[in-house]
Amino acid sequence: MNPISIQFAYFVDRYVENGQASREQVEEMKKIAKENDVSHLYLCVLHYNIQGKRSLAVRNPGLAYESWLNPL
């Protein structure tokens, strides 16, 4: 899990800028997020292995990913 978060509203505003959603759709996303107390997002990568013991471990990557607006 990346220790650096990004504000939900700031992140979803990109959808309008990129033409992936209308302003109305993004405003609805923000409304739903607010109703559910979602204010920030954290980048989290899951590695899932169907073999062996099923478990979930949260580990800090050691290196923070600071550039949320650029692809991995």
Side-chain angles (χ1 to χ4, degrees):
M1 182 175 80
N2 190 22
I4 298 174
S5 66
I6 190 169
Q7 290 182 356
F8 181 85
Y10 179 71
F11 187 79
V12 297
D13 279 338
R14 292 181 34 217
Y15 295 146
V16 175
E17 296 167 14
N18 295 337
Q20 296 173 310
S22 68
R23 173 57 54 197
E24 293 79 19
Q25 289 170 317
V26 168
E27 291 306 318
E28 183 65 18
M29 286 185 224
K30 290 178 185 180
K31 178 183 164 218
I32 292 169
K34 185 174 182 178
E35 290 170 353
N36 288 282
D37 296 321
V38 174
S39 62
H40 289 76
L41 298 173
Y42 288 86
L43 178 64
C44 185
V45 177
L46 298 176
H47 296 275
Y48 182 74
N49 184 352
I50 61 172
Q51 306 295 323
K53 181 180 175 185
R54 294 181 181 193
S55 65
L56 177 65
V58 178
R59 298 181 194 142
N60 286 331
L63 176 65
Y65 185 73
E66 298 182 33
S67 188
W68 274 78
L69 302 182
N70 293 325
L72 290 171

